[in-house]
C-alpha cells in the first residue's frame, strides 16, 4: 500500500542520486544504477585532457566533465525539466555554491565566481540549465569556453 509506494520512491531517489559523481570527487562507474533508473550514460573522450560523461533520462541531461589525469569531476552542466539535486551534484562544494547563490540576482538565475567555483544557472518551470566549474581541477590548457 502506501508504505510500499513511499519506500519505492525513497529507493528511486537514492538510486537517482547515486547515479552521479560529485564535483571534485573521483568519477565512479554508474552504468548499473543508470540501467535501474532507465537512464543512459554516454562517455565521450574529447581529447587527452578530459572526457564527458552524459547522463540522460526523462528529466533531461547532466554532463560530468572528468579530468583524465586525476579522474576527478571538474565541471557539471545540466539541462533538465527539474532542478537537479545540487547537494549530490556538487558534493563538498554545495555550501560554497549555495552561499554564492544567495548573493545572485534572481531566485532561479545567476552567475557567480569565487576562488574555486564558477557558476551560471537559470531556468523557468520545466526547463532548467546551469554550469558549475571547479577551476583548480580543470586540466591545463582548457578554458571555461571549452565547456559546453
Amino acid at each position: 500500500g502506501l508504505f510500499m509506494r513511499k519506500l519505492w520512491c525513497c529507493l528511486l531517489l537514492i538510486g537517482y542520486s547515486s547515479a552521479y559523481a560529485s564535483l571534485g570527487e573521483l568519477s565512479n562507474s554508474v552504468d548499473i544504477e543508470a540501467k535501474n533508473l532507465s537512464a543512459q550514460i554516454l562517455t565521450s573522450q574529447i581529447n587527452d585532457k578530459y572526457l564527458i560523461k552524459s547522463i540522460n533520462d526523462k528529466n533531461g541531461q547532466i554532463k560530468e566533465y572528468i579530468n583524465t589525469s586525476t579522474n576527478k569531476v571538474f565541471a557539471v552542466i545540466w539541462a533538465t525539466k527539474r532542478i537537479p539535486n545540487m547537494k549530490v551534484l556538487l558534493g563538498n562544494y554545495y555550501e560554497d555554491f549555495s552561499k554564492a547563490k544567495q548573493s545572485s540576482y534572481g531566485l532561479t538565475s545567476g552567475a557567480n565566481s569565487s576562488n574555486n567555483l564558477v557558476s551560471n544557472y537559470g531556468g523557468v518551470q520545466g526547463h532548467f540549465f546551469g554550469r558549475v566549474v571547479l577551476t583548480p581541477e580543470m586540466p591545463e590548457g582548457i578554458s571555461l569556453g571549452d565547456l559546453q
Side-chain angles (χ1 to χ4, degrees):
L2 182 60
F3 174 76
M4 288 306 290
R5 281 193 301 239
K6 286 183 179 180
L7 179 62
W8 179 246
C9 286
C10 287
L11 290 174
L12 278 177
L13 288 174
I14 291 167
Y16 191 78
S17 298
S18 67
Y20 310 106
S22 294
L23 189 67
E25 293 181 2
L26 293 176
S27 173
N28 57 1
S29 175
V30 297
D31 296 336
I32 294 170
E33 289 94 338
K35 286 178 185 174
N36 290 336
L37 299 168
S38 300
Q40 182 182 29
I41 302 228
L42 302 171
T43 302
S44 306
Q45 181 81 35
I46 301 305
N47 55 39
D48 62 341
K49 296 181 181 194
Y50 72 96
L51 60 90
I52 300 172
K53 185 181 291 185
S54 298
I55 301 141
N56 303 290
D57 68 9
K58 64 183 178 190
N59 186 42
Q61 181 180 62
I62 295 176
K63 293 181 184 178
E64 295 178 336
Y65 287 71
I66 301 162
N67 183 328
T68 54
S69 67
T70 63
N71 199 34
K72 289 186 179 180
V73 176
F74 70 90
V76 178
I77 296 178
W78 65 93
T80 55
K81 294 177 186 173
R82 295 183 316 271
I83 297 173
N85 184 335
M86 300 308 288
K87 286 184 180 183
V88 172
L89 286 180
L90 303 182
N92 294 329
Y93 296 94
Y94 174 75
E95 294 257 341
D96 293 341
F97 172 78
S98 196
K99 286 177 188 172
K101 189 174 185 239
Q102 290 173 358
S103 65
S104 68
Y105 50 82
L107 292 175
T108 58
S109 64
N112 300 295
S113 182
S114 70
N115 292 341
N116 293 326
L117 292 180
V118 174
S119 62
N120 310 81
Y121 50 89
V124 295
Q125 186 69 32
H127 179 70
F128 296 94
F129 57 90
R131 173 176 77 169
V132 179
V133 181
L134 181 59
T135 54
E137 293 293 338
M138 284 179 65
E140 282 190 40
I142 302 298
S143 72
L144 291 174
D146 294 327
L147 311 177
Q148 308 268 342

